[in-house]
Amino acid sequence: MQQIDNYNFAGKKAIVRVDFNVPLNDKFEVTDDTRIVEAMPTIKKILSDGGAAVLMSHLGRPKEGPEAKFSLKHVVSKVQSLLSGVNVKFVDDCIGDKVLQAKKDLKMGEVLILENLRFYKAEDKDKEAMPGFAKQLAEGVDVYVNDAFGTAHRAHASTAIIAQYVKNKMAGFLLEKEIKFLGDTVANPEKPFVAIVGGAKVSGKLEVLKSLTGKCDTILIGGGMAYTFYKALGYKIGNSLVEEELVDTAKQILEDAKAKGVNFMLPVDNLAADKFDNGADIMEVGTEIPDGRMALDIGAKTIKAYAAEIKGAKTVVWNGPMGCFEMPNFAKGTFGVCQAVADSSAISIIGGGDSVAAVNQSGLADKMSHISTGGGASLEFLEGKVLPGIAAVRD
Ligand code: AMP
């Protein structure tokens, strides 16, 4: 793959797929600019080489064509404030004559932001129209840079198809970092390699569990999915979350882990609540959840046992919370594991929306080696799938 670091953008116009899908308040101000800030290294590299950057992104989920509330014009002032002294322009479309003219008029050292890609169905929904749309996006530029990991698991016009119509293509710094950690580090992990897998359901993490069972030394299970494994082992689960149809699959995963010599750990104790509520009555129980109770967090002994495994690890991957961490009384497991990962000297990779939210809330983000910018994309990457957005810039 062409490395962005080794490419000289002098005199080139580069179209960059960024992820500017940022939250806005009711005044259409950006309330969290993390994604915009994270795109800056790639944009600044293009500009400092003496090139020009055309930025394209989606924002929100427009249903039928243009909707003012999803316009990318709302991010322009934020981008401008992060690029002081740079001329940041906006054009209220992403294809067509007006856009082509704006690309032509763009001078080296300038930035042009295009309108929301998803105002056109050809970006993500209308497969037949995708190539024509992608070709128009590619008009008037010399280079395509993909720096949007959050959509890299989708073969959309701007994330993958466009690469066929631009001669020079590459990953931006953000995408490169994701490939380095989620791809290279996980493919050749320093051992012991410990995976922490949590979240609501086994179904959402089935493929990742299968894939990690072949690679990890230890898998630590938490969250609602633990109780489907409990059921598979014949433990009482009370009213805890369970996926009956996956009990046999859970058995197979346990057998597979045993056969492969993986240390597959389940919670040894739990917080069992009488209802799904932060104010619920809480009982500390072992591996038998009493009737009428539901396990909503892992217990103190489990946190200690998991922390010990994490301490001895050289590589840690974490996806999914250990309990209902949105409720403070059931957040200790998730934050305990978070602290253990932060304290360990292992390479730590955090993927998935909820674990990333927990890490950010805990204030320990700067102690992690890598926090993935894509929920679904990071999961698919860990599952060992080829992501279209990465394959496109690799070919
Ligand atoms: P996922 O999207 O599959 O990663 O699941 C994340 C969600 O799982 C969070 O909203 C948690 O509140 C929820 N969760 C974690 N542990 C439990 C549990 N023991 N019972 C029910 N839901 C849980």
Side-chain angles (χ1 to χ4, degrees):
M1 194 184 336
Q2 168 71 52
Q3 303 286 303
I4 183 166
D5 234 358
N6 302 334
Y7 190 83
N8 188 351
F9 288 89
K12 307 270 190 215
K13 290 183 183 173
I15 190 158
V16 190
R17 177 51 159 104
V18 288
D19 182 2
F20 283 174
N21 183 28
V22 289
L24 303 173
N25 63 17
D26 52 8
K27 288 188 207 130
F28 302 110
E29 293 157 343
V30 177
T31 54
D32 180 351
D33 65 359
T34 312
R35 287 175 170 164
I36 301 178
V37 171
E38 283 176 333
M40 284 300 140
T42 294
I43 299 167
K44 285 184 176 166
K45 154 80 176 155
I46 295 166
L47 300 179
S48 68
D49 276 0
V54 180
L55 309 180
M56 57 175 174
S57 177
H58 74 286
L59 173 63
R61 289 172 188 270
K63 285 191 192 78
E64 289 293 329
E67 280 180 71
K69 65 176 174 180
F70 295 127
S71 172
L72 272 160
K73 72 177 180 212
H74 304 310
V75 309
V76 175
S77 61
K78 184 53 83 179
V79 176
Q80 180 66 78
S81 72
L82 293 165
L83 291 170
S84 61
V86 174
N87 195 9
V88 178
K89 298 170 166 175
F90 172 74
V91 56
D92 64 356
D93 208 336
C94 54
I95 53 167
D97 292 344
K98 198 188 334 181
V99 177
L100 202 51
Q101 191 58 47
K103 284 174 178 167
K104 267 194 195 130
D105 294 343
L106 191 69
K107 297 188 188 71
M108 295 303 145
E110 290 185 335
V111 169
L112 173 68
I113 301 176
L114 305 186
E115 184 54 287
N116 194 340
L117 294 159
R118 291 198 188 162
F119 285 174
Y120 287 88
K121 281 206 175 82
E123 160 63 2
D124 56 336
K125 293 188 192 84
D126 185 349
K127 286 222 156 61
E128 267 173 41
M130 257 180 211
F133 180 69
K135 202 172 170 201
Q136 282 184 279
L137 291 173
E139 269 167 6
V141 297
D142 311 292
V143 189
Y144 167 63
V145 183
N146 189 4
D147 214 15
F149 182 67
T151 48
H153 58 317
R154 306 279 180 233
H156 294 164
S158 69
T159 62
I161 317 296
I162 184 175
Q164 297 165 22
Y165 303 102
V166 187
K167 217 170 92 202
N168 300 300
K169 53 207 166 185
M170 68 198 76
F173 288 117
L174 203 54
L175 196 63
E176 256 188 6
K177 193 167 170 249
E178 299 278 5
I179 295 168
K180 175 175 166 239
F181 281 101
L182 288 163
D184 305 346
T185 305
V186 172
N188 297 300
E190 257 199 83
K191 300 230 163 193
F193 179 18
V194 174
I196 311 157
V197 184
K201 292 178 174 175
V202 180
S203 49
K205 307 277 160 72
L206 202 56
E207 292 306 317
V208 88
L209 280 173
K210 282 185 191 159
S211 161
L212 289 172
T213 302
K215 293 185 190 128
C216 291
D217 302 291
T218 297
I219 298 182
L220 309 174
I221 298 288
M225 70 161 66
Y227 311 102
T228 300
F229 286 102
Y230 269 24
K231 182 107 189 198
L233 290 167
Y235 301 165
K236 274 177 67 177
I237 60 161
N239 293 337
S240 304
L241 201 64
V242 65
E243 287 169 285
E244 295 286 354
E245 69 285 6
L246 287 181
V247 172
D248 283 341
T249 309
K251 270 185 204 155
Q252 275 165 24
I253 292 173
L254 290 167
E255 276 164 22
D256 190 32
K258 201 170 173 190
K260 289 185 172 141
V262 177
N263 178 22
F264 196 96
M265 293 176 73
L266 290 166
V268 291
D269 61 346
N270 301 274
L271 300 189
D274 62 346
K275 56 181 180 232
F276 192 82
D277 191 284
N278 189 47
D281 180 69
I282 298 172
M283 255 172 91
E284 289 177 33
V285 300
T287 53
E288 299 286 338
I289 315 299
D291 289 341
R293 298 236 163 206
M294 57 185 84
L296 295 182
D297 198 7
I298 58 173
K301 286 190 193 124
T302 309
I303 298 175
K304 214 168 155 197
Y306 285 8
E309 293 295 329
I310 294 164
K311 193 170 179 199
K314 287 260 168 59
T315 308
V316 175
V317 166
W318 177 22
N319 193 304
M322 298 289 101
C324 295
F325 78 108
E326 297 93 338
M327 295 190 265
N329 288 340
F330 304 103
K332 280 200 193 79
T334 301
F335 289 120
V337 160
C338 186
Q339 187 68 53
V341 178
D343 291 344
S344 95
S345 54
I347 295 171
S348 50
I349 302 166
I350 322 296
D354 281 313
S355 354
V356 172
V359 169
N360 287 333
Q361 273 176 41
S362 69
L364 296 167
D366 62 344
K367 299 271 192 300
M368 309 300 176
S369 314
H370 180 62
I371 298 180
S372 178
T373 52
S378 73
L379 207 55
E380 289 197 20
F381 213 160
L382 287 177
E383 286 167 7
K385 288 195 183 134
V386 175
L387 306 192
I390 294 176
V393 287
R394 211 165 236 172
D395 295 341

